[in-house]
Amino acid sequence: MKKVFFSVLIIYLLYAVTMSSYLFLVDTPLPEAYIGTEADPNTFMNEEQLILSTDFSKWRNVLYFVHTPFEWLIYLFVICFGISQFFARWSKQLIKFKFFQTALYVILLSCLSFLITFPIKYVAYSISKQYGISIQTFESWMKDNLIGFWIEALLLTVVVYVIMYLISKSPKRWWLYTWLLSIPFTLFLMFIQPVVIDPLYNEFYPIQDKELEEEILQLANQVDIPADRVYEVKMSEKTNALNAYVTGIGSNLRIVLWDTTLMSLSKEEVLFVMAHEMGHYDLNHLKQLLIGMIALSFVGLFITSKLYQFTINNVGKQLNLKRNEMAAIPIILLILSLLSFTTSPMSNAISRAYEYQADRYAIDLTDEPDAAVATFHKLSVEGLADVNPPTIVKLFRYTHPPMVERITHIREYRNEIDKTK
């Protein structure tokens, strides 16, 4: 199995070199139809911004395509070299109760993964600072990483404990019971995230501009969004990027604006952004995505159970692993991660379609196409966005349409409306 790992490692290194070379060398020309239009970055970015956005995007893309399969290597490494088995045995020797055994195992596994991937994360942080997107101090960045570490460790402990328990009780149907339990668990996390998890990272408070808040709430009332307050989040100490979103479910539904967005956009532009986010809610995108995620997890867990059984049957003895052993959990995590990556182009395509719908919704609600285009220009400049990415990057990374397509879509939609009047 060690030979298998080193073979996979060589394949990974060849892949990393090839993919990095391609992403650094590829130049995606702007389609002729866009040249000279509002969607052409040459019309709203200066020469320095164009160079910076191109270079920054290439670094981000390389780090994504290198880092994602690197995580798979970690799972393979801890299994093939007996590290997972050692962590599991040690946890059982030190602790009597099963849940706390699981917690210690997860912490040990998470610590190892954190240390191995830390250099890549630090490079990503450094590049973001170098290009002026991040202004976060190293101390603040480390604090966010540590908070994320413990939140993920806690959630993973619960997931691993439940999965191992179900496998021991129902070897053939554990995946189905896991799926059924994942539904209320996901809804619970969505409910508590705005009020419990998000405030651990950033400071949230009622928006300071009360006049703007009133206009935003008026928009919300028009589309029956049950929100009675708009929240501002203090991001200006961490980033120069802009963002806004509607989050949470039920009584914890929140409309949130980054303070950087309020500093950079005009009132009309902010209202367009908020109308776009409200569109996601009113068009039931959040519910549809949730239903789609639940359906996809059903298929994913079924496939995972079959691949997991196949792996244990064929290499379980060589790895000294049994089906219901905690030490085998990296196999399940590896399979789930692989499935998530392979389905990302499909989920991203659906997300991009929803973004187009929300853009049209915002135009209908605000009647401000000029504000929409100006917003997209500012988002591109402040975030050094690649407005016309390579196809492979768009497929695997873009949950939102590239700005070239998004700006053009807005104008075409508005022209269609004008023709019908």
Side-chain angles (χ1 to χ4, degrees), residues 84-134:
S84 178
Q85 296 88 322
F86 170 74
F87 285 164
R89 286 196 305 270
W90 199 45
S91 300
K92 291 177 182 178
Q93 290 170 2
L94 290 178
I95 300 175
K96 180 179 179 180
F97 299 104
K98 190 72 175 179
F99 180 81
F100 295 107
Q101 290 175 359
T102 305
L104 179 57
Y105 169 82
V106 167
I107 290 172
L108 291 171
L109 189 65
S110 298
C111 281
L112 180 64
S113 178
F114 182 87
L115 292 173
I116 294 175
T117 59
F118 183 81
I120 297 178
K121 293 177 181 177
Y122 181 74
V123 168
Y125 161 71
S126 299
I127 290 173
S128 187
K129 285 206 72 171
Q130 179 184 341
Y131 284 88
I133 302 301
S134 173

Side-chain angles (χ1 to χ4, degrees), residues 47-64:
E47 186 175 351
E48 181 184 10
Q49 290 167 341
L50 286 169
I51 294 173
L52 288 175
S53 66
T54 299
D55 292 345
F56 180 59
S57 297
K58 287 182 176 181
W59 275 110
R60 285 196 307 173
N61 295 334
V62 166
L63 288 172
Y64 171 81

Side-chain angles (χ1 to χ4, degrees), residues 103-232:
L104 179 57
Y105 169 82
V106 167
I107 290 172
L108 291 171
L109 189 65
S110 298
C111 281
L112 180 64
S113 178
F114 182 87
L115 292 173
I116 294 175
T117 59
F118 183 81
I120 297 178
K121 293 177 181 177
Y122 181 74
V123 168
Y125 161 71
S126 299
I127 290 173
S128 187
K129 285 206 72 171
Q130 179 184 341
Y131 284 88
I133 302 301
S134 173
I135 54 175
Q136 190 173 16
T137 64
F138 176 77
E139 292 77 11
S140 174
W141 177 75
M142 275 302 301
K143 178 184 175 183
D144 285 351
N145 273 274
L146 291 174
I147 291 172
F149 172 87
W150 288 109
I151 291 174
E152 290 171 11
L154 175 61
L155 296 177
L156 186 57
T157 297
V158 174
V159 171
V160 170
Y161 178 79
V162 170
I163 288 177
M164 287 296 102
Y165 175 80
L166 293 174
I167 288 176
S168 65
K169 296 297 182 181
S170 181
K172 293 184 177 180
R173 295 185 179 178
W174 67 267
W175 65 273
L176 177 60
Y177 300 133
T178 299
W179 175 74
L180 291 172
L181 289 173
S182 73
I183 297 173
F185 185 66
T186 300
L187 293 173
F188 173 73
L189 289 179
M190 292 178 66
F191 180 75
I192 68 168
Q193 181 169 338
V195 296
V196 176
I197 299 176
D198 290 347
L200 295 175
Y201 294 94
N202 301 298
E203 180 184 354
F204 289 78
Y205 45 87
I207 189 171
Q208 304 299 298
D209 189 336
K210 296 304 176 183
E211 182 179 338
L212 179 59
E213 180 182 39
E214 184 61 31
E215 294 195 49
I216 292 172
L217 291 177
Q218 286 178 6
L219 283 178
N221 288 332
Q222 289 181 41
V223 293
D224 296 324
I225 291 182
D228 56 3
R229 186 176 296 176
V230 179
Y231 287 86
E232 190 174 334

